[in-house]
């Protein structure tokens, strides 16, 4: 099935804090996907 979201090597930093470090994922059409932090954010 076709990917509707495709993330490659995603990183996000806030000053010296690394929130996301080099993640990759795909979401196919019809799938449910949730990306939650440690506090549900």
């Amino acid at each position: 099935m076709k990917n509707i979201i495709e993330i490659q090597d995603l990183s996000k930093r806030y000053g010296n804090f690394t929130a996301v470090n080099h993640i990759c994922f795909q979401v196919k059409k019809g799938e449910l996907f949730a990306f939650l932090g440690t506090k549900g954010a």
Side-chain angles (χ1 to χ4, degrees):
M1 192 169 282
K2 181 180 174 184
N3 291 336
I4 58 170
I5 298 173
E6 195 165 327
I7 302 298
Q8 298 288 324
D9 202 28
L10 175 69
S11 297
K12 179 62 179 171
R13 293 178 56 95
Y14 297 96
N16 292 329
F17 177 74
T18 301
V20 176
N21 194 20
H22 303 287
I23 65 168
C24 301
F25 63 88
Q26 300 85 34
V27 180
K28 296 191 181 311
K29 184 177 179 180
E31 288 183 331
L32 295 176
F33 179 82
F35 184 65
L36 299 175
T38 57
K39 296 181 180 174

